[in-house]
Amino acid sequence: MRSNHLPDVSITRDKTLRVGMTRRRFLTWTGVAGGLAVIPGLLGDAPASSGAPRLGDHLFTLGVASGDPLPDGVVLWTRLARNPLARGGGMGAAPVPVEWEVATDETMRRIHRRGSAPATADNGHSIHIDVRGLEPARDYFYRFRAAGDISEVGRTRTASTGRANALTFAFASCQSWADGHYVAYADMASHAPDVVFHLGDYIYEKPIPRNGGRRRTSAMPESAHREAMDLDDYRDRYALYKLDPHLREIHRTSPFVTIFDDHEVDNNWAATVPEDDQPIPAFLLRRARGLKAWWENTPVRAAHQAHGADVRAYRRFGFGDLVEFNVLDTRTFRSDQANGDDDTAQNGPTADPHRTITGAAQERWLLDGFSRSRHRWNVLAHQTTIADLAHVENGVREVSMDGWSGYEASRARVLDGARHRGVTNLVSIVGDIHRNAVSELRSTYRHQSPTVGVELAGTSISSGGDGEDSDETDRAIKAASPHVRFGNAQRGYVLNRLRPDRWEAEYRVADSIAAPSARLRRRALITIPNARPTVDVV
């Protein structure tokens, strides 16, 4: 007779910012009916097979993950997929009971919590277990079982409470599967950070070449060769990405805090406005599908899943009195990009106080949080750069309209609001631009207002290919942006070590991501001292 408990096992240890870029043509859509609570066709067609997985099938092909750590809890995630590259993961339509366990030791002998939940076709056979009753600042280990198959063991860690003297965290973004291998994640896993922030572009919706691009493989779902549009397309894309062994390893090693950017749905989308001239109702249906797939495939609490086209993904995470992270959504509530979404000079539309990158409700939530914060470090964790990464074209100073540079009044309200509320040690961490950049934070760069903080922009995991130490865009930005203190255009991530007296950001890069065995090195060490919005670059 099969035991009701798990046996003991051991744990084993597109969008590149460039000079002269052109963007989608400006759309003049105005207004749309309220959020769609129920969208016809959102779930797509039921899989052809309705049979339950057979006993002993290997169902945990997409790995395990944890996320959104609190002092007393964490989300545990897995997604069952008997055949991950087949439509529906080869799972059929029947729900599958999944058991889970949390232990205080990696051999899974000292079980602290256990339970079970059904993995259903409606949620792509994903599981999101919000485990509570844990102790703060502690490592835990977890695993799953379904239909006789046992997952690998994952390690997670809860947030600290009270006085905290240290935190190690990493942040990353932009992992186009076809552009190269995720070697940065192998390096990141070797450091086992307390938490990892993924700041967007976890997948790319654009078609993948049939030869796999730099991956040179034919092992892809057929849907990978067209732009993702329906729910199954997005689910297939996540399955392909999650088969990467380096991505699986970092998810198994550290908890993630995940937020979407544009490519989880459509390039440079803005609220109800798509990249191309798709009708608004059709785009809202697509957005709902993309955001549903994002939630299904990330360790995010149920409170932050999309309900139709509506989502509330912004949220906060504190680690004792040391640091508070404000995780922002700068896609869902923003005004459409100004000036046709081209790189242009700042002008009347960019300064319009009626335009916003956060939306009014999220802006109030953020400023109210600043008023209450008693943390040493205060962080904005989000998608696009706040700082002007300016360059000069034909004698004109130009900036991207997709970042906060295209929403000057919105930027000023947030940064001036932080200063007026006495916020100290303000740091912005961002991705999106496929390059590294360290900048002084100012509410306006046209008149060089006072520095109120520091922005750490991290490069991509793979998007854009290998890159180089300093490309033409990097040199143009540095020439026109005196507030930029460091820049680099290689692939990698940022490893951060926080103490009460200093923040150290280690920029780790790879010379090439063409092979899965490539290694990373330290390119720069940025030190931000307590109570001074300046940086030292080594």
Side-chain angles (χ1 to χ4, degrees):
M1 184 174 179
R2 192 170 67 191
S3 169
N4 290 328
H5 302 306
L6 303 179
D8 294 323
V9 296
S10 296
I11 193 170
T12 58
R13 287 266 276 164
D14 149 59
K15 174 173 65 179
T16 303
L17 179 69
R18 59 189 184 275
V19 174
M21 69 193 296
T22 59
R23 310 306 303 161
R24 61 179 168 83
R25 67 182 181 84
F26 180 62
L27 300 179
T28 58
W29 300 109
T30 58
V32 68
L36 306 179
V38 177
I39 299 181
L42 174 58
L43 296 180
D45 297 329
S49 169
S50 60
R54 298 183 301 274
L55 180 67
D57 282 344
H58 184 54
L59 301 182
F60 299 101
T61 54
L62 301 180
V64 300
S66 66
D68 282 9
L70 302 174
D72 69 337
V74 70
V75 176
L76 305 182
W77 174 94
T78 193
R79 177 184 164 197
L80 306 182
R82 177 170 49 195
N83 184 355
L85 297 183
R87 183 125 295 196
M91 291 302 301
V96 181
V98 179
E99 300 173 48
W100 57 269
E101 288 183 337
V102 175
T104 56
D105 65 313
E106 59 188 351
T107 61
M108 302 298 295
R109 288 187 171 89
R110 296 191 295 273
I111 302 300
H112 186 71
R113 289 282 187 276
R114 61 161 47 98
S116 64
T120 66
D122 282 353
N123 286 325
H125 286 97
S126 66
I127 289 286
H128 298 71
I129 305 297
D130 191 353
V131 182
R132 297 300 177 101
L134 306 181
E135 297 178 11
R138 177 164 186 170
D139 286 356
Y140 287 92
F141 302 87
Y142 63 95
R143 63 186 175 187
F144 301 90
R145 182 176 69 186
D149 187 36
I150 301 172
S151 76
E152 57 197 337
V153 175
R155 170 245 182 195
T156 191
R157 185 170 177 81
T158 52
S160 54
T161 188
R163 184 173 296 280
N165 292 319
L167 178 74
T168 298
F169 79 94
F171 68 88
S173 66
C174 304
Q175 52 194 46
S176 174
W177 185 89
D179 285 358
H181 292 275
Y182 298 164
V183 296
Y185 285 136
D187 185 88
M188 190 187 294
S190 72
H191 292 278
D194 298 327
V195 63
V196 175
F197 286 80
H198 196 287
L199 302 177
D201 294 347
Y202 194 100
I203 62 163
Y204 278 69
E205 84 289 10
K206 300 302 182 186
I208 297 174
R210 289 195 172 272
N211 66 3
R214 298 191 76 181
R215 298 272 182 148
R216 299 299 177 190
T217 179
S218 59
M220 288 182 283
E222 184 60 31
S223 64
H225 307 306
R226 61 177 180 267
E227 185 157 345
M229 298 293 290
D230 66 32
L231 181 58
D232 282 330
D233 290 345
Y234 288 110
R235 285 171 169 170
D236 289 350
R237 202 67 56 93
Y238 279 99
L240 176 65
Y241 278 50
K242 283 181 171 292
L243 288 173
D244 181 274
H246 297 326
L247 180 57
R248 282 177 47 135
E249 180 64 11
I250 185 57
H251 271 303
R252 190 178 71 85
T253 302
S254 298
F256 268 53
V257 173
T258 308
I259 189 66
F260 52 82
D261 190 14
D262 55 337
H263 286 290
E264 287 86 350
V265 178
D266 182 34
N267 180 51
N268 277 27
W269 65 278
T272 64
V273 182
E275 177 183 20
D276 300 315
D277 53 356
Q278 186 179 27
I280 288 178
F283 174 68
L284 284 179
L285 175 57
R286 181 187 184 186
R287 190 181 93 177
R289 291 164 169 169
L291 294 182
K292 178 172 174 56
W294 167 79
W295 179 80
E296 289 178 350
N297 288 278
T298 54
V300 175
R301 286 187 169 81
H304 304 296
Q305 65 180 305
H307 296 280
D310 293 335
V311 66
R312 157 88 189 256
Y314 58 89
R315 55 207 194 276
R316 268 190 199 93
F317 297 94
F319 291 81
D321 62 353
L322 183 64
V323 59
E324 184 171 68
F325 294 89
N326 299 276
V327 180
L328 306 183
D329 170 6
T330 62
R331 285 290 160 196
T332 307
F333 311 105
R334 68 158 66 194
S335 307
D336 192 20
Q337 292 91 341
N339 301 326
D341 201 11
D342 294 333
D343 277 22
T344 68
Q346 288 160 323
N347 54 16
T350 66
D352 184 349
H354 296 101
R355 298 181 65 254
T356 176
I357 194 169
T358 62
Q362 185 175 195
E363 183 179 297
R364 286 194 301 271
W365 169 86
L366 179 57
L367 294 177
D368 288 346
F370 284 159
S371 297
R372 294 190 298 268
S373 177
R374 299 296 181 268
H375 296 81
R376 179 64 57 94
W377 300 93
N378 295 275
V379 184
L380 305 177
H382 56 122
Q383 297 74 41
T384 59
T385 56
I386 294 177
D388 281 0
L389 300 185
H391 55 87
V392 175
E393 284 289 309
N394 300 318
V396 178
R397 179 184 182 274
E398 296 184 345
V399 293
S400 168
M401 293 295 103
D402 190 55
W404 293 62
S405 300
Y407 302 81
E408 292 183 277
S410 192
R411 175 172 65 189
R413 288 194 299 269
V414 167
L415 295 186
D416 290 343
R419 181 168 56 86
H420 294 154
R421 287 162 175 79
V423 171
T424 59
N425 295 331
L426 183 65
V427 179
S428 164
I429 60 172
V430 297
D432 180 68
I433 59 172
H434 305 179
R435 62 181 62 250
N436 294 313
V438 177
S439 308
E440 298 167 349
L441 277 181
R442 305 171 185 268
S443 60
T444 178
Y445 295 87
R446 291 207 250 181
H447 309 296
Q448 294 294 299
S449 63
T451 301
V452 298
V454 175
E455 181 158 78
L456 305 173
T459 188
S460 63
I461 291 291
S462 62
S463 304
D466 290 339
E468 54 188 301
D469 187 67
S470 180
D471 61 7
E472 179 183 355
T473 297
D474 177 62
R475 293 187 289 272
I477 289 172
K478 289 172 180 174
S481 309
H483 50 274
V484 173
R485 302 294 305 280
F486 167 73
N488 166 272
Q490 292 170 295
R491 307 284 77 82
Y493 73 102
V494 186
L495 181 64
N496 303 268
R497 300 174 180 91
L498 271 63
R499 302 289 188 274
D501 65 332
R502 68 191 183 280
W503 176 316
E504 292 181 343
E506 181 178 346
Y507 278 78
R508 297 188 61 77
V509 301
D511 292 324
S512 172
I513 55 170
S517 59
R519 296 187 178 274
L520 276 71
R521 59 183 174 84
R522 176 190 289 184
R523 175 58 184 84
L525 181 65
I526 310 299
T527 301
I528 309 171
N530 173 48
R532 281 196 297 127
T534 60
V535 298
D536 297 323
V537 182
V538 178

